[in-house]
Amino acid sequence: MNWVKELCSLYDKNESLAGQVTKGRNNQTLILIPIFHTTVTAQVTVTIDADGNFLRAEQVPAEDKLTLIPVSEKSAARTTSPEAHPLCDNLKYLAGDYMDYIVPAKGKDFSEHHRLYMEGLKAWVDSKFSHKTVTAVYRYLVKNTLVKDLAGQGVLALDDGQKIIEKEKIQNVGQADAFVRFRVEYLWDGKESILSEGVKGKTNECWRDCTLQSAYIAYCRSQNRTAGLSYLTGETGAITYLHPKKIRNEGDGAKLISSNDGTYFTFRGRFSNKEEAFAIGYEDSQKAHNALKWVIRKQGKSWNSLCIVIWESDLNELPDWSASTDEVCSQYESWGDEEEGEAYMGTDPKTAARFQAAVAGYQKAVNINANSQTMLMAFDAATTGRLAIMACQGFSTSMYLKNLNQWHEDCGWLQPMYKNKDFYEYYGIVGIQDIAKLLYGTENKRDMELRGSSERMLSETSKRLLPCVLLGKPIPEDFVRLAIHRASSPVSYENDINWKRILALACSFVKKKNKEKDKEVWTVALNKESRDRSYLYGRLLAVADRIEYRTFITGENRETNAKRFMNGFSQHPFRTWKIIEERIQPYKEKLDMKEKLVYEHLIEEICWNFEDGDYEKTDALDGRYLLGFHNQAYALRKKEENKDE
């Protein structure tokens, strides 16, 4: 799968949106960046008129700080070496009077920064691709009064010696490092003229001006660039070895493509120089990276350093792979007809019909065509400078939906849930974030939370479960073992609902793992015919738990003997069952005779199902004992509820 080509195709399909500012998730600013541009965080807006006269300046509001600016090939990838942006830049590049207002460190001179900037700006102004905004900015900056004007407006704070106070900050950025953008105001009366204070006219914000963006793109294309063979298209043209950063977010310094290794020469042994290793067209690199940034901010998900993005070829909405069954159903089940779910009903009274009906409703409403493709990419960074592609997979959208449906069906179990302080149960599987919390989290009042360094476990959990959900890969063995271990220790939980949630998750994992390995199909319905040793012992434990629970008085809240001995029972069932059986005798006597006989007959019935020699074995139980425990406990609870009704 050529991911660069896929991203270029995504950009070409949506090129009409380039430069437009919209709102994405959580009301964040979303921009499909035009080629030869990037986004920065601006702190100061300077307003001038068409003749380059200063009008005013103000700090940028926090909600409007994301700014689209033109960049050169080198300035987009700059680090410590001075490389000026073509128009908007940091104060030290723009201000000709910058050195007059700072106390430079020993041997530090920023005059070169300003010289490089003015040379680049003048070259653009003098070209046939110039723009009135560029001309106005140049006319203003040649006056070398930027810092003076900002100080006069109160945007920059100066000390008694008329030097910029370094400790003062503008939106967490030192004053001397502030990023400046420009607004040009015109008075339109048939021709452009200077605006006087208080006179309204046309305002040209350089970061939103599509004509300015087009002018710069044309200017860049007119430049003589290094020509070579693009490994992407096989054509000869302008190529680049410098590629953009800010891929996962605006503060991301890691790059996907880089060949600046001049120390260890990691490409040697296969290639003699970086040109032989990899080269792609400059515009293709711009399109691919800008499309990737856009789609990540539009619909990507990030956990710690891990970033995962999935998109459909026509950017149709896709069901969230990381969401719980309940969340997906709540979003899409109203899109279809109620009758659509009936065709999916199976023999189990708790089937995945609700989820399947929701997906059917989604497909009907979105009208996914047969040629629809879905692209998956996942990124992570071990260092701050290099970004690795952890997954890259393209498949048909129908396959995406099929695999997603299979995950929710194979892991389907009865999941307890609190929502808005209300308790309810749904059939399916919890979301990826809840899986990480249940496996690695600690209790916080009612819920489970990931804390401190455990935050990275959310990233690791997502990374390892992604192939299981979308590619049908087997569930990791250690996840299953950990879920069983945690579910076998109810006494470790202060809140009973948290233990019930990890128990349900363990049942989901055990169910899926047994289907993968042995083609076994387990359901929430009690299997009275099963002769599996672990399953039968689990049923016995559930009966013992129910006997003691039935004797609780109103408001009593304590662990039953069955739950207190559950961990030991899972390791030594034959020996521990004798202890539990002795402990529940006094509680049996508290029951009325009819109910007591029902439980005794049930225990006898379960014991008769053991194969010869299985009951006395000293082997530890496998995860099926949790299925037996949950099935039997659910059956007894429902029987009691039906009797009360």
Side-chain angles (χ1 to χ4, degrees), residues 382-450:
T383 66
T384 56
R386 297 291 183 270
L387 191 63
I389 298 179
M390 307 302 297
C392 182
Q393 182 81 30
F395 38 80
S396 67
T397 302
S398 59
M399 181 60 69
Y400 173 89
L401 297 174
K402 179 183 177 182
N403 289 342
L404 188 64
N405 179 76
Q406 197 66 48
W407 165 259
H408 287 266
E409 183 178 329
D410 289 351
C411 296
W413 205 258
L414 205 58
Q415 307 290 339
M417 186 69 182
Y418 261 116
K419 190 174 184 179
N420 299 327
K421 298 184 179 180
D422 294 326
F423 175 80
Y424 68 98
E425 292 178 306
Y426 67 89
Y427 184 85
I429 180 69
V430 297
I432 301 299
Q433 184 169 348
D434 281 337
I435 291 176
K437 288 180 178 180
L438 291 170
L439 291 179
Y440 300 104
T442 55
E443 277 191 306
N444 177 31
K445 296 182 180 179
R446 175 170 289 176
D447 204 357
M448 302 289 292
E449 280 192 354
L450 288 167

Side-chain angles (χ1 to χ4, degrees), residues 5-19:
K5 188 174 181 180
E6 288 294 325
L7 288 168
C8 288
S9 175
L10 178 66
Y11 185 93
D12 290 337
K13 285 183 179 180
N14 297 277
E15 191 172 8
S16 61
L17 301 176

Side-chain angles (χ1 to χ4, degrees), residues 314-329:
D314 294 323
L315 283 184
N316 285 312
E317 180 180 341
L318 292 170
D320 186 358
W321 71 274
S322 65
S324 68
T325 306
D326 189 50
E327 290 170 331
V328 175
C329 291

